[in-house]
Short mmCIF file of all heavy atoms in Angstrom, two decimals:
data_model
loop_
_atom_site.label_atom_id
_atom_site.label_comp_id
_atom_site.label_asym_id
_atom_site.label_seq_id
_atom_site.Cartn_x
_atom_site.Cartn_y
_atom_site.Cartn_z
N LEU V 59 0.40 4.51 -15.11
CA LEU V 59 -0.30 3.43 -15.82
C LEU V 59 -1.48 4.04 -16.57
O LEU V 59 -2.33 4.68 -15.96
CB LEU V 59 -0.82 2.40 -14.81
CG LEU V 59 -1.62 1.23 -15.39
CD1 LEU V 59 -0.68 0.21 -16.04
CD2 LEU V 59 -2.46 0.54 -14.31
N PRO V 60 -1.57 3.86 -17.88
CA PRO V 60 -2.73 4.36 -18.61
C PRO V 60 -3.99 3.66 -18.09
O PRO V 60 -4.00 2.43 -17.98
CB PRO V 60 -2.45 3.96 -20.06
CG PRO V 60 -0.98 3.69 -20.12
CD PRO V 60 -0.60 3.19 -18.76
N LEU V 61 -5.00 4.42 -17.72
CA LEU V 61 -6.21 3.81 -17.13
C LEU V 61 -7.43 4.67 -17.42
O LEU V 61 -7.43 5.87 -17.16
CB LEU V 61 -6.06 3.64 -15.62
CG LEU V 61 -7.17 2.82 -14.95
CD1 LEU V 61 -7.03 1.33 -15.29
CD2 LEU V 61 -7.13 3.01 -13.43
N ALA V 62 -8.46 4.01 -17.96
CA ALA V 62 -9.70 4.71 -18.25
C ALA V 62 -10.87 3.89 -17.72
O ALA V 62 -10.72 2.70 -17.42
CB ALA V 62 -9.84 4.90 -19.75
N GLU V 63 -12.02 4.52 -17.62
CA GLU V 63 -13.20 3.80 -17.11
C GLU V 63 -13.55 2.61 -18.00
O GLU V 63 -14.10 1.62 -17.52
CB GLU V 63 -14.38 4.76 -16.98
CG GLU V 63 -14.19 5.70 -15.78
CD GLU V 63 -15.29 6.74 -15.57
OE1 GLU V 63 -16.18 6.84 -16.45
OE2 GLU V 63 -15.25 7.44 -14.56
N GLU V 64 -13.20 2.69 -19.29
CA GLU V 64 -13.51 1.55 -20.17
C GLU V 64 -12.74 0.29 -19.77
O GLU V 64 -13.21 -0.82 -19.96
CB GLU V 64 -13.17 1.88 -21.63
CG GLU V 64 -13.96 3.03 -22.22
CD GLU V 64 -13.40 4.38 -21.81
OE1 GLU V 64 -12.26 4.69 -22.20
OE2 GLU V 64 -14.08 5.12 -21.07
N ASP V 65 -11.52 0.49 -19.24
CA ASP V 65 -10.74 -0.66 -18.79
C ASP V 65 -11.49 -1.40 -17.69
O ASP V 65 -11.48 -2.63 -17.63
CB ASP V 65 -9.37 -0.21 -18.24
CG ASP V 65 -8.48 0.39 -19.31
OD1 ASP V 65 -8.36 -0.23 -20.38
OD2 ASP V 65 -7.92 1.47 -19.07
N ILE V 66 -12.08 -0.65 -16.81
CA ILE V 66 -12.83 -1.22 -15.69
C ILE V 66 -14.12 -1.86 -16.21
O ILE V 66 -14.48 -2.98 -15.85
CB ILE V 66 -13.19 -0.14 -14.65
CG1 ILE V 66 -11.97 0.73 -14.31
CG2 ILE V 66 -13.81 -0.77 -13.42
CD1 ILE V 66 -10.77 -0.02 -13.81
N GLN V 67 -14.80 -1.10 -17.08
CA GLN V 67 -16.11 -1.56 -17.56
C GLN V 67 -16.00 -2.90 -18.29
O GLN V 67 -16.86 -3.76 -18.16
CB GLN V 67 -16.72 -0.49 -18.48
CG GLN V 67 -18.21 -0.67 -18.68
CD GLN V 67 -18.97 -0.59 -17.35
OE1 GLN V 67 -18.73 0.30 -16.55
NE2 GLN V 67 -19.85 -1.55 -17.12
N ALA V 68 -14.92 -3.07 -19.04
CA ALA V 68 -14.75 -4.32 -19.78
C ALA V 68 -14.74 -5.52 -18.84
O ALA V 68 -15.29 -6.58 -19.15
CB ALA V 68 -13.45 -4.27 -20.58
N TYR V 69 -14.13 -5.34 -17.68
CA TYR V 69 -14.12 -6.44 -16.71
C TYR V 69 -15.50 -6.61 -16.06
O TYR V 69 -15.99 -7.72 -15.89
CB TYR V 69 -13.04 -6.19 -15.64
CG TYR V 69 -11.78 -6.96 -15.92
CD1 TYR V 69 -10.92 -6.58 -16.95
CD2 TYR V 69 -11.46 -8.11 -15.19
CE1 TYR V 69 -9.77 -7.31 -17.23
CE2 TYR V 69 -10.31 -8.84 -15.46
CZ TYR V 69 -9.48 -8.43 -16.47
OH TYR V 69 -8.36 -9.17 -16.74
N LEU V 70 -16.10 -5.49 -15.66
CA LEU V 70 -17.41 -5.58 -15.00
C LEU V 70 -18.45 -6.23 -15.92
O LEU V 70 -19.31 -6.99 -15.45
CB LEU V 70 -17.90 -4.18 -14.59
CG LEU V 70 -17.24 -3.58 -13.35
CD1 LEU V 70 -17.85 -2.22 -13.05
CD2 LEU V 70 -17.43 -4.51 -12.14
N ASP V 71 -18.36 -5.93 -17.21
CA ASP V 71 -19.34 -6.51 -18.14
C ASP V 71 -19.28 -8.04 -18.16
O ASP V 71 -20.29 -8.70 -18.42
CB ASP V 71 -19.11 -5.97 -19.56
CG ASP V 71 -19.56 -4.51 -19.67
OD1 ASP V 71 -20.23 -4.01 -18.74
OD2 ASP V 71 -19.22 -3.86 -20.69
N ARG V 72 -18.10 -8.58 -17.88
CA ARG V 72 -17.97 -10.03 -17.89
C ARG V 72 -18.69 -10.71 -16.73
O ARG V 72 -18.93 -11.90 -16.74
CB ARG V 72 -16.49 -10.43 -17.89
CG ARG V 72 -15.79 -10.14 -19.21
CD ARG V 72 -14.29 -10.29 -19.12
NE ARG V 72 -13.88 -11.63 -18.71
CZ ARG V 72 -12.64 -11.95 -18.35
NH1 ARG V 72 -11.69 -11.02 -18.36
NH2 ARG V 72 -12.36 -13.17 -17.99
N ARG V 73 -18.96 -9.95 -15.65
CA ARG V 73 -19.69 -10.56 -14.54
C ARG V 73 -21.18 -10.16 -14.53
O ARG V 73 -21.93 -10.56 -13.64
CB ARG V 73 -19.06 -10.24 -13.18
CG ARG V 73 -19.22 -8.81 -12.71
CD ARG V 73 -18.86 -8.64 -11.24
NE ARG V 73 -19.83 -9.25 -10.33
CZ ARG V 73 -21.08 -8.82 -10.18
NH1 ARG V 73 -21.55 -7.78 -10.86
NH2 ARG V 73 -21.90 -9.43 -9.33
N ARG V 74 -21.60 -9.41 -15.54
CA ARG V 74 -22.98 -8.93 -15.58
C ARG V 74 -23.94 -10.09 -15.78
O ARG V 74 -23.70 -10.98 -16.60
CB ARG V 74 -23.13 -7.92 -16.72
CG ARG V 74 -24.33 -7.01 -16.56
CD ARG V 74 -24.35 -6.00 -17.67
NE ARG V 74 -24.31 -6.68 -18.96
CZ ARG V 74 -23.91 -6.11 -20.10
NH1 ARG V 74 -23.49 -4.87 -20.10
NH2 ARG V 74 -23.92 -6.78 -21.21
N PRO V 75 -25.03 -10.09 -15.06
CA PRO V 75 -26.01 -11.17 -15.23
C PRO V 75 -26.90 -10.88 -16.43
O PRO V 75 -26.71 -9.90 -17.16
CB PRO V 75 -26.82 -11.11 -13.94
CG PRO V 75 -26.78 -9.68 -13.54
CD PRO V 75 -25.45 -9.14 -14.02
N GLY V 76 -27.84 -11.74 -16.64
CA GLY V 76 -28.84 -11.52 -17.67
C GLY V 76 -28.32 -11.71 -19.08
O GLY V 76 -28.92 -11.28 -20.06
N GLN V 77 -27.18 -12.37 -19.23
CA GLN V 77 -26.61 -12.53 -20.56
C GLN V 77 -27.02 -13.85 -21.22
O GLN V 77 -26.78 -14.06 -22.39
CB GLN V 77 -25.08 -12.43 -20.49
CG GLN V 77 -24.64 -11.09 -19.89
CD GLN V 77 -23.15 -10.85 -19.97
OE1 GLN V 77 -22.64 -10.46 -21.01
NE2 GLN V 77 -22.47 -11.08 -18.89
N SER V 78 -27.60 -14.71 -20.44
CA SER V 78 -28.11 -15.96 -21.02
C SER V 78 -29.23 -16.47 -20.13
O SER V 78 -29.44 -15.94 -19.03
CB SER V 78 -27.00 -17.01 -21.12
OG SER V 78 -26.87 -17.69 -19.89
N ARG V 79 -29.90 -17.51 -20.59
CA ARG V 79 -30.98 -18.06 -19.77
C ARG V 79 -30.45 -18.83 -18.58
O ARG V 79 -31.22 -19.26 -17.72
CB ARG V 79 -31.84 -18.98 -20.64
CG ARG V 79 -31.02 -20.08 -21.32
CD ARG V 79 -31.87 -20.86 -22.26
NE ARG V 79 -33.05 -21.34 -21.57
CZ ARG V 79 -33.76 -22.38 -21.96
NH1 ARG V 79 -33.42 -23.03 -23.06
NH2 ARG V 79 -34.82 -22.77 -21.29
N TYR V 80 -29.13 -19.01 -18.52
CA TYR V 80 -28.55 -19.78 -17.43
C TYR V 80 -28.05 -18.91 -16.29
O TYR V 80 -27.43 -19.39 -15.35
CB TYR V 80 -27.43 -20.70 -17.95
CG TYR V 80 -27.92 -21.54 -19.11
CD1 TYR V 80 -27.44 -21.35 -20.39
CD2 TYR V 80 -28.91 -22.50 -18.90
CE1 TYR V 80 -27.91 -22.09 -21.45
CE2 TYR V 80 -29.40 -23.25 -19.97
CZ TYR V 80 -28.90 -23.04 -21.24
OH TYR V 80 -29.38 -23.77 -22.28
N THR V 81 -28.28 -17.63 -16.41
CA THR V 81 -27.95 -16.75 -15.29
C THR V 81 -29.20 -15.97 -14.93
O THR V 81 -30.16 -15.96 -15.68
CB THR V 81 -26.79 -15.77 -15.63
OG1 THR V 81 -27.15 -15.04 -16.80
CG2 THR V 81 -25.49 -16.51 -15.87
N THR V 82 -29.17 -15.33 -13.78
CA THR V 82 -30.34 -14.59 -13.32
C THR V 82 -30.81 -13.58 -14.37
O THR V 82 -30.01 -12.99 -15.09
CB THR V 82 -30.05 -13.84 -12.00
OG1 THR V 82 -31.15 -12.98 -11.73
CG2 THR V 82 -28.79 -13.00 -12.09
N SER V 83 -32.12 -13.37 -14.41
CA SER V 83 -32.68 -12.42 -15.37
C SER V 83 -32.63 -10.99 -14.85
O SER V 83 -33.08 -10.07 -15.51
CB SER V 83 -34.13 -12.81 -15.69
OG SER V 83 -34.89 -12.76 -14.49
N ARG V 84 -32.07 -10.81 -13.65
CA ARG V 84 -31.95 -9.44 -13.14
C ARG V 84 -31.09 -8.63 -14.12
O ARG V 84 -30.11 -9.12 -14.66
CB ARG V 84 -31.23 -9.42 -11.79
CG ARG V 84 -32.03 -9.94 -10.62
CD ARG V 84 -31.37 -9.55 -9.29
NE ARG V 84 -29.94 -9.89 -9.26
CZ ARG V 84 -29.46 -11.05 -8.82
NH1 ARG V 84 -30.27 -11.99 -8.39
NH2 ARG V 84 -28.17 -11.27 -8.80
N GLN V 85 -31.49 -7.38 -14.33
CA GLN V 85 -30.65 -6.51 -15.14
C GLN V 85 -29.84 -5.62 -14.23
O GLN V 85 -30.39 -4.86 -13.44
CB GLN V 85 -31.54 -5.65 -16.07
CG GLN V 85 -32.24 -6.47 -17.15
CD GLN V 85 -31.24 -7.17 -18.08
OE1 GLN V 85 -30.18 -6.64 -18.38
NE2 GLN V 85 -31.56 -8.39 -18.51
N GLU V 86 -28.53 -5.73 -14.31
CA GLU V 86 -27.67 -4.86 -13.49
C GLU V 86 -26.74 -4.12 -14.43
O GLU V 86 -25.86 -4.71 -15.04
CB GLU V 86 -26.87 -5.70 -12.49
CG GLU V 86 -27.76 -6.49 -11.52
CD GLU V 86 -26.96 -7.42 -10.60
OE1 GLU V 86 -25.73 -7.53 -10.78
OE2 GLU V 86 -27.57 -8.03 -9.71
N ALA V 87 -26.99 -2.81 -14.53
CA ALA V 87 -26.21 -2.04 -15.49
C ALA V 87 -24.75 -1.97 -15.04
O ALA V 87 -23.82 -2.19 -15.81
CB ALA V 87 -26.79 -0.64 -15.61
N ASP V 88 -24.53 -1.67 -13.76
CA ASP V 88 -23.20 -1.67 -13.18
C ASP V 88 -22.19 -0.85 -13.98
O ASP V 88 -21.24 -1.39 -14.57
CB ASP V 88 -22.69 -3.12 -13.02
CG ASP V 88 -23.49 -3.88 -11.97
OD1 ASP V 88 -24.22 -3.22 -11.21
OD2 ASP V 88 -23.40 -5.12 -11.93
N ARG V 89 -22.40 0.47 -13.95
CA ARG V 89 -21.46 1.37 -14.59
C ARG V 89 -20.41 1.81 -13.59
O ARG V 89 -20.72 2.37 -12.54
CB ARG V 89 -22.17 2.65 -15.11
CG ARG V 89 -23.30 2.42 -16.09
CD ARG V 89 -22.89 1.70 -17.34
NE ARG V 89 -21.74 2.29 -18.02
CZ ARG V 89 -21.13 1.74 -19.07
NH1 ARG V 89 -21.55 0.57 -19.54
NH2 ARG V 89 -20.11 2.33 -19.64
N ALA V 90 -19.14 1.60 -13.92
CA ALA V 90 -18.05 1.99 -13.03
C ALA V 90 -17.67 3.45 -13.25
O ALA V 90 -17.59 3.91 -14.39
CB ALA V 90 -16.83 1.12 -13.30
N GLU V 91 -17.43 4.14 -12.17
CA GLU V 91 -16.97 5.52 -12.25
C GLU V 91 -15.67 5.63 -11.45
O GLU V 91 -15.58 5.11 -10.34
CB GLU V 91 -18.05 6.42 -11.63
CG GLU V 91 -18.04 7.85 -12.10
CD GLU V 91 -19.18 8.65 -11.43
OE1 GLU V 91 -20.14 8.03 -10.94
OE2 GLU V 91 -19.07 9.88 -11.39
N ILE V 92 -14.67 6.28 -12.03
CA ILE V 92 -13.40 6.51 -11.32
C ILE V 92 -13.48 7.89 -10.67
O ILE V 92 -13.66 8.88 -11.37
CB ILE V 92 -12.19 6.44 -12.27
CG1 ILE V 92 -12.07 5.02 -12.89
CG2 ILE V 92 -10.90 6.80 -11.55
CD1 ILE V 92 -10.93 4.87 -13.90
N LEU V 93 -13.36 7.93 -9.35
CA LEU V 93 -13.53 9.21 -8.64
C LEU V 93 -12.22 9.88 -8.27
O LEU V 93 -12.21 11.05 -7.90
CB LEU V 93 -14.36 9.00 -7.37
CG LEU V 93 -15.79 8.50 -7.55
CD1 LEU V 93 -16.47 8.36 -6.18
CD2 LEU V 93 -16.59 9.46 -8.42
N SER V 94 -11.12 9.15 -8.33
CA SER V 94 -9.84 9.75 -7.94
C SER V 94 -8.68 8.93 -8.47
O SER V 94 -8.87 7.81 -8.93
CB SER V 94 -9.73 9.83 -6.41
OG SER V 94 -9.58 8.53 -5.86
N GLY V 95 -7.50 9.49 -8.40
CA GLY V 95 -6.29 8.72 -8.66
C GLY V 95 -5.81 8.69 -10.10
O GLY V 95 -4.79 8.06 -10.40
N THR V 96 -6.54 9.34 -11.01
CA THR V 96 -6.05 9.42 -12.39
C THR V 96 -6.04 10.88 -12.82
O THR V 96 -6.79 11.70 -12.30
CB THR V 96 -6.92 8.62 -13.38
OG1 THR V 96 -8.23 9.18 -13.40
CG2 THR V 96 -6.99 7.15 -12.99
N PHE V 97 -5.19 11.18 -13.77
CA PHE V 97 -5.07 12.55 -14.28
C PHE V 97 -4.50 12.44 -15.69
O PHE V 97 -3.54 11.68 -15.90
CB PHE V 97 -4.14 13.37 -13.37
CG PHE V 97 -4.02 14.82 -13.75
CD1 PHE V 97 -5.15 15.64 -13.74
CD2 PHE V 97 -2.80 15.36 -14.12
CE1 PHE V 97 -5.04 16.98 -14.09
CE2 PHE V 97 -2.69 16.70 -14.46
CZ PHE V 97 -3.81 17.52 -14.45
N ASP V 98 -5.12 13.11 -16.62
CA ASP V 98 -4.67 13.04 -18.01
C ASP V 98 -4.56 11.59 -18.50
O ASP V 98 -3.62 11.22 -19.22
CB ASP V 98 -3.29 13.72 -18.16
CG ASP V 98 -3.43 15.24 -18.26
OD1 ASP V 98 -4.58 15.74 -18.42
OD2 ASP V 98 -2.40 15.93 -18.19
#
Side-chain angles (χ1 to χ4, degrees):
Chain V
L59 178 77
L61 189 73
E63 286 178 353
E64 297 80 65
D65 294 312
I66 313 303
Q67 198 60 46
Y69 261 74
L70 283 181
D71 287 349
R72 289 170 59 192
R73 71 167 290 292
R74 201 176 55 201
Q77 302 188 80
S78 84
R79 55 186 306 203
Y80 307 112
T81 55
T82 171
S83 60
R84 288 194 309 270
Q85 292 299 325
E86 300 175 355
D88 292 346
R89 302 301 308 173
E91 204 179 340
I92 298 178
L93 297 180
S94 70
T96 62
F97 184 62
D98 280 349

